[in-house]
């Protein structure tokens, strides 16, 4: 159990065991980009005897056209998906309700987001979950993040934030965290946070992931793609640092080192 997957499995099993009779717990798993949460969650679910529905909040992004409208109305920075405000939380809540209400072999469709096309995949390509699960786990980098309205007035911490000259991009994120995301956090039965030693690990992990994708094609990652990764994580930096500093909903914690080795756990 001294792996991320093992710790996640123990957390899920504990939540199922303590849930009231007939209740399907909604569990939210967080971890910075590249921390291994998606792979670990899939591995954990794959070894469990009870059926668990797992999904990523990434698959609940607003459609491309909806995000372009958000970018037009609020800030061009919202053309990049990921920050609070770019997810369809209404669809997520509806999906959770449908899973909880499933009877017998009823199939529930889970949305799929096509990251290459930067848009939601057609319904024909969505995943299906059969029956009523014992638990529902949604993973994402920001799950449980607390809002901080004052931070929207702070000085930029990176070049991406410096482009937000009106402050509208950051302000909208904080409003979203205090509103619909906070409602989702309130609806959860438990949280688990994968906690690395610092934010510097995130850049290293994302560069590893990207280099691996290029290596799979027999190519070396070009310098311009490295620069793209460095810019990309800046969209997530402020709130990721906030979560690493402990400003997140209380829950189980999995502390890992820069090699993604589990150092200790708490709250499982």
């Amino acid at each position: 159990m001294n792996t991320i997957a093992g710790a996640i499995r123990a957390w899920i099993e504990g939540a199922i065991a303590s849930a009231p009779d007939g209740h399907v717990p909604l569990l939210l798993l967080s971890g910075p980009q590249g921390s291994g949460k998606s792979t670990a969650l899939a591995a954990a679910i794959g070894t469990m005897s009870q059926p668990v529905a797992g999904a990523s909040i990434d698959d609940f992004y607003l459609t491309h056209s909806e995000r372009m409208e958000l970018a037009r109305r609020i800030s061009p920075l919202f053309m990049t998906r990921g920050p609070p405000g770019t997810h369809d939380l209404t669809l997520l809540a509806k999906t959770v309700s449908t899973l909880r209400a499933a009877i017998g072999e009823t199939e529930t469709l889970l949305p799929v987001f096509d990251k290459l096309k930067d848009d939601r995949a057609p319904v024909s390509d969505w995943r299906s979950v059969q029956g009523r699960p014992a638990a529902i786990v949604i993973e994402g980098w920001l799950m449980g993040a607390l809002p901080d309205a004052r931070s929207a007035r702070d000085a930029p911490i990176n070049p991406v934030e410096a482009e937000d000259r009106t402050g509208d991009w950051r302000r909208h994120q904080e409003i979203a965290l205090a509103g619909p995301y906070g409602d989702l956090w309130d609806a959860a039965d438990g949280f688990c946070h994968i906690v690395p030693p610092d934010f510097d690990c995130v850049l290293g992990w994302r560069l590893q992931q990207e280099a691996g994708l290029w290596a799979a094609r027999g190519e070396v990652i070009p310098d311009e793609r490295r620069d793209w990764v460095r810019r990309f994580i800046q969209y997530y930096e402020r709130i990721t640092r906030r979560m690493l500093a402990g400003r997140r909903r209380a829950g189980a914690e999995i502390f890992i080192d820069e090699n993604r080795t589990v150092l200790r756990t708490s709250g499982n």
Side-chain angles (χ1 to χ4, degrees):
M1 285 292 183
N2 60 345
T3 63
I4 299 177
I8 291 173
R9 173 178 169 170
W11 166 62
I12 298 172
E13 290 176 335
I16 293 173
S18 60
D21 287 346
H23 178 66
V24 178
L26 170 63
L27 305 175
L28 303 182
L29 170 67
S30 86
Q33 287 190 340
S35 58
K37 58 187 177 297
S38 302
T39 301
L41 176 60
I45 291 174
T47 62
M48 294 182 65
S49 58
Q50 294 173 288
V52 174
S56 170
I57 197 171
D58 288 0
D59 283 319
F60 291 89
Y61 281 129
L62 295 170
T63 64
H64 182 81
S65 61
E66 289 169 334
R67 284 185 293 107
M68 292 308 101
E69 172 59 20
L70 187 65
R72 185 198 64 78
R73 185 167 50 88
I74 306 294
S75 166
L77 290 171
F78 277 118
M79 286 190 286
T80 297
R81 61 182 184 263
T86 62
H87 302 95
D88 188 338
L89 299 186
T90 300
L91 176 60
L92 195 157
K94 180 180 178 181
T95 302
V96 169
S97 296
T98 303
L99 284 166
R100 283 174 162 165
I103 299 173
E105 298 302 306
T106 302
E107 286 194 348
T108 300
L109 292 177
L110 302 184
V112 172
F113 191 86
D114 188 331
K115 292 185 177 180
L116 289 178
K117 295 182 178 178
D118 194 27
D119 207 351
R120 189 177 298 159
V123 175
S124 58
D125 292 338
W126 289 16
R127 294 192 296 124
S128 66
V129 173
Q130 204 169 51
R132 188 167 181 257
I136 302 164
V137 186
I138 310 293
E139 56 90 356
W141 73 275
L142 77 171
M143 309 307 264
L146 296 177
D148 182 357
R150 294 173 301 176
S151 75
R153 299 190 294 271
D154 292 344
I157 63 172
N158 60 44
V160 165
E161 288 196 354
E163 296 175 18
D164 180 30
R165 294 180 177 85
T166 64
D168 290 343
W169 180 65
R170 275 197 276 156
R171 189 159 38 249
H172 187 79
Q173 291 182 61
E174 300 299 344
I175 292 170
L177 282 177
Y181 290 82
D183 293 341
L184 174 60
W185 306 165
D186 289 342
D189 294 283
F191 292 85
C192 181
H193 306 291
I194 300 172
V195 187
D198 52 43
F199 184 76
D200 290 342
C201 292
V202 179
L203 175 57
W205 289 335
R206 281 296 285 117
L207 286 171
Q208 283 178 3
Q209 286 181 329
E210 198 68 25
L213 293 174
W214 284 82
R217 302 190 322 200
E219 300 178 49
V220 176
I221 179 173
D223 289 341
E224 56 267 25
R225 192 61 180 178
R226 290 182 181 275
D227 291 340
W228 177 88
V229 171
R230 291 187 181 95
R231 175 180 168 83
F232 184 67
I233 67 167
Q234 292 176 10
Y235 286 83
Y236 303 81
E237 181 174 359
R238 179 178 293 272
I239 295 174
T240 299
R241 288 186 182 277
R242 181 185 306 171
M243 294 186 72
L244 294 180
R247 297 197 293 279
R248 56 185 185 246
R249 291 290 181 102
E253 297 169 317
I254 305 170
F255 294 90
I256 61 175
D257 64 15
E258 63 275 10
N259 297 314
R260 303 184 190 85
T261 301
V262 175
L263 300 175
R264 62 186 176 89
T265 62
S266 68
N268 272 337

